[in-house]
Amino acid sequence: MGAIGGCLLILVIGAIFCAIWAIWRYNGLIGLRNQVANAWKQIDVQLKRRHDLIPNLVSAVKGEMQFEQDTLEKVIQARNSAVAARGVADAAEKENALTQTLSRLFALAENYPQLKANESVRALMEELSSTENRIGFARQFYNDIATRFNTAQQVFPDNLIAQTFKFQTVELFEIKDAAERAVPKVDLSIRPQPGA
Amino acid sequence: MTNLYEQQKRNIANTRLFITGFVLLLVFLGLSADGMLYAGGFSPGLPIATLGALCVGGMSAWWSLHGGDRAVLESTRAAPLDPSDPPQRVLDNVVEEMAIASGLPKPAVYVIPDADPNAFATGTGPEKSSIAVTRGLLDKLDRDELQAVVSHEMSHVRNFDVRLMTVVAALAGAILLLSDWGRRGFGWGLGRRRDSKAGGGIAGLLFAFVWIVSILLAPFVAQLVAMAVSRQREYLADASGAQLTRNPLALASALEKIAAEKGPTPSIKQGVAHLCIEDPRGGTLEQKDGWFANLFATHPPMAKRIALLREMAYQPASPTQK
């Protein structure tokens, strides 16, 4: 076995290592991509839960909050249009409007101590505020996992794998402009970034 | 985020390291006993004491991983959560929220009928875990603080602390048991040797010395290791809990309320101490700092934990400090 044979052997071993590394990183990226998709579904589950709870709450507080019919009407309207929303961007907007009308309803309910004394109303309020928390935490988890996915695609040398197999970075929830910072508004769309 | 995953990996590696250490300790206990037997003129051909010690250790570790969590819950008289009771319903919701925030399956939730505020997590990992809180915790903490405590426990689950601590506790228990048997056996051995007058000479004395030292020291060493592991995990659980809620101040104020209740948590036995958010023995060890407290406490000093959490929220270390 001469020098050429030795060189060939080294090349073959190097190629095998490269292939093993590529498979390992590719599988890692696939795993992350599925986690991102799963985190995304979790947000949907919680939004659905919110849609289901709202009619119950409204009918439970209707009697006591007679002077707030307008607000209750708006909550129901916002809920119905959120349920009927088509597409991700549309849903994001409608859900956001719903969050705002709901927080107004919660604030107004503070003025009705007899509501708080009512066991079933209190239980519904707890369920709904827990759902609001869950939506928030589901988005937070989505952002964390999406950031890991994006970072994994961008660091060297993993970016070679990501580019070869056309992985795309996902967008995070963020507050778009200063005026909206007071009431958090989120962009629910997963779109590839222009540069990716 | 990355350092959290590194921490998880390190924890899994630590588990192997600690188990290896404990196995070596068991082998040492067994070998010195075998040496004694051999020097005493009793040679069965196999190192029976060593094999026996390994058997006891292996069985207790296996048992702790398959049903040890249930035994812990039963020892505290923890009852499964009753969702019809409003405060327990809130707890159920809070656990669900933290499971979502950490991206893990929701653990089983239990309530312990005890007025002292305390909480612990147990299980073998994220796939199979339980969180138990006392009734006192539900009554004394507000929703945000309860969420913070659950986030701390959820972090123990996520970081694989529950499995590490379960195994460490089981092995420390096995060593305690063996050295107890060893002490009894030694007394019996001395009695026999005086009768038979078959001395083993210098070797026999040497083995006897090693054996006495090891049966006296082994449980002590095991205990110290278990406590060191526990303390180290608490800071991490505080920090990663705050990462889940993004609200370190809620955990700080929860810890203040828990620390203000000086009494012990009678429902929680000493064997479960290292799993709790606060030492249930109600001692003063965790109010102190210094090498002695550092050696023997299962938890780091409360004031230090609170100060670290307040630091995360850019607040002065204590509310009075300006």
Side-chain angles (χ1 to χ4, degrees), chain B residues 69-70 73 78-82 88 91-96 98-99 104-112 119-133 150 153-154 157 162:
Chain B
D69 49 344
R70 226 171 314 134
L73 287 166
L81 181 128
D82 169 21
Q88 296 190 43
L91 173 67
D92 197 35
N93 280 334
V94 163
V95 173
E96 176 82 47
M98 287 301 99
L104 297 178
K106 187 184 167 199
V109 192
Y110 291 84
V111 175
I112 303 164
F120 69 85
T122 180
T124 51
E127 302 304 323
K128 186 170 170 286
S129 59
S130 312
I131 288 178
V133 310
V150 170
E153 300 306 337
M154 202 70 207
V157 172
V162 284

Side-chain angles (χ1 to χ4, degrees), chain A residues 35 38 42 46 49 119 122-123 126-127 129-131 133-135 137-141 144-145 147-148, chain B residues 1-2 5 84 86 89-94 96-98 100-104 143 147 243-246:
Chain A
Q35 277 188 292
N38 182 41
Q42 185 61 45
Q46 299 309 329
R49 189 179 137 93
E119 191 99 333
R122 221 170 46 194
E126 160 59 26
E127 290 309 300
S129 54
S130 172
T131 307
N133 285 349
R134 291 180 200 186
I135 294 169
F137 285 124
R139 286 176 176 164
Q140 175 181 304
F141 180 68
D144 287 348
I145 206 83
T147 305
R148 283 220 298 142
Chain B
M1 281 308 274
T2 50
Y5 289 89
S84 62
R89 180 79 209 168
V90 173
L91 173 67
D92 197 35
N93 280 334
V94 163
E96 176 82 47
E97 287 163 24
M98 287 301 99
I100 289 171
S102 57
L104 297 178
R143 199 179 195 284
Q147 195 183 53
Q243 190 192 18
L244 287 183
T245 60
R246 314 274 149 122

Side-chain angles (χ1 to χ4, degrees), chain B residues 53 78 84 91 133 135 175 202 256 295:
Chain B
S84 62
L91 173 67
V133 310
R135 186 73 214 186
I175 286 168
I202 297 290
E256 269 162 13
L295 265 184

Side-chain angles (χ1 to χ4, degrees), chain B residues 141-157:
Chain B
L141 266 49
D142 68 24
R143 199 179 195 284
D144 281 354
E145 290 161 348
L146 184 64
Q147 195 183 53
V149 169
V150 170
S151 77
H152 171 102
E153 300 306 337
M154 202 70 207
S155 302
H156 277 316
V157 172

Side-chain angles (χ1 to χ4, degrees), chain B residues 181-192 194 211:
Chain B
W181 287 352
R183 260 196 297 273
R184 282 155 204 240
F186 187 67
W188 173 79
L190 271 186
R192 263 175 54 102
R194 217 172 281 135
W211 198 40

Side-chain angles (χ1 to χ4, degrees), chain B residues 22 25 28-29 175-176 179 183 209-225:
Chain B
F22 275 118
L25 205 56
F28 183 70
L29 265 180
I175 286 168
L176 194 69
S179 74
R183 260 196 297 273
F209 179 72
V210 169
W211 198 40
I212 292 170
V213 169
S214 61
I215 57 174
L216 289 180
L217 277 187
F220 192 66
V221 170
Q223 205 64 14
L224 287 187
V225 171

Side-chain angles (χ1 to χ4, degrees), chain B:
Chain B
M1 281 308 274
T2 50
N3 69 4
L4 190 71
Y5 289 89
E6 279 161 20
Q7 289 281 12
Q8 280 188 355
K9 266 194 210 130
R10 198 186 303 167
N11 228 8
I12 294 166
N14 273 350
T15 309
R16 294 203 187 108
L17 190 75
F18 282 119
I19 290 171
T20 314
F22 275 118
V23 168
L24 287 180
L25 205 56
L26 283 170
V27 168
F28 183 70
L29 265 180
L31 277 182
S32 56
D34 276 327
M36 269 287 285
L37 287 176
Y38 190 73
F42 179 72
S43 51
L46 280 170
I48 44 162
T50 311
L51 292 177
L54 285 176
C55 252
V56 170
M59 265 160 57
S60 69
W62 186 87
W63 177 83
S64 75
L65 285 176
H66 298 86
D69 49 344
R70 226 171 314 134
V72 164
L73 287 166
E74 270 164 26
S75 81
T76 59
R77 291 181 293 124
L81 181 128
D82 169 21
S84 62
D85 175 38
Q88 296 190 43
R89 180 79 209 168
V90 173
L91 173 67
D92 197 35
N93 280 334
V94 163
V95 173
E96 176 82 47
E97 287 163 24
M98 287 301 99
I100 289 171
S102 57
L104 297 178
K106 187 184 167 199
V109 192
Y110 291 84
V111 175
I112 303 164
D114 193 305
D116 189 62
N118 216 328
F120 69 85
T122 180
T124 51
E127 302 304 323
K128 186 170 170 286
S129 59
S130 312
I131 288 178
V133 310
T134 61
R135 186 73 214 186
L137 193 87
L138 289 183
D139 294 340
K140 284 176 183 109
L141 266 49
D142 68 24
R143 199 179 195 284
D144 281 354
E145 290 161 348
L146 184 64
Q147 195 183 53
V149 169
V150 170
S151 77
H152 171 102
E153 300 306 337
M154 202 70 207
S155 302
H156 277 316
V157 172
R158 179 169 66 161
N159 300 344
F160 287 92
D161 293 348
V162 284
R163 180 158 69 184
L164 177 63
M165 294 316 302
T166 303
V167 173
V168 165
L171 289 177
I175 286 168
L176 194 69
L177 186 73
L178 285 173
S179 74
D180 196 45
W181 287 352
R183 260 196 297 273
R184 282 155 204 240
F186 187 67
W188 173 79
L190 271 186
R192 263 175 54 102
R193 282 194 49 173
R194 217 172 281 135
D195 292 346
S196 68
K197 284 186 182 169
I202 297 290
L205 273 177
L206 196 69
F207 274 120
F209 179 72
V210 169
W211 198 40
I212 292 170
V213 169
S214 61
I215 57 174
L216 289 180
L217 277 187
F220 192 66
V221 170
Q223 205 64 14
L224 287 187
V225 171
M227 308 238 159
V229 179
S230 170
R231 278 195 312 272
Q232 183 206 346
R233 310 319 301 170
E234 290 302 316
Y235 286 122
L236 180 65
D238 282 350
S240 45
Q243 190 192 18
L244 287 183
T245 60
R246 314 274 149 122
N247 188 0
L249 285 183
L251 185 52
S253 85
L255 289 181
E256 269 162 13
K257 280 191 186 172
I258 292 171
E261 302 287 326
K262 289 266 190 294
T265 316
S267 294
I268 301 181
K269 307 287 178 295
Q270 171 159 2
V272 192
H274 52 274
L275 298 169
C276 294
I277 192 163
E278 184 215 29
D279 195 335
R281 291 168 296 183
T284 50
L285 268 183
E286 60 184 46
Q287 266 121 51
K288 290 181 197 130
D289 209 347
W291 71 270
F292 184 77
N294 261 335
L295 265 184
F296 291 97
T298 51
H299 288 61
M302 207 57 142
K304 208 164 165 184
R305 289 170 69 186
I306 292 171
L308 280 173
L309 283 165
R310 295 183 62 84
E311 211 172 88
M312 283 177 214
Y314 306 104
Q315 300 284 313
S318 77
T320 48
Q321 194 181 321
K322 281 280 144 62

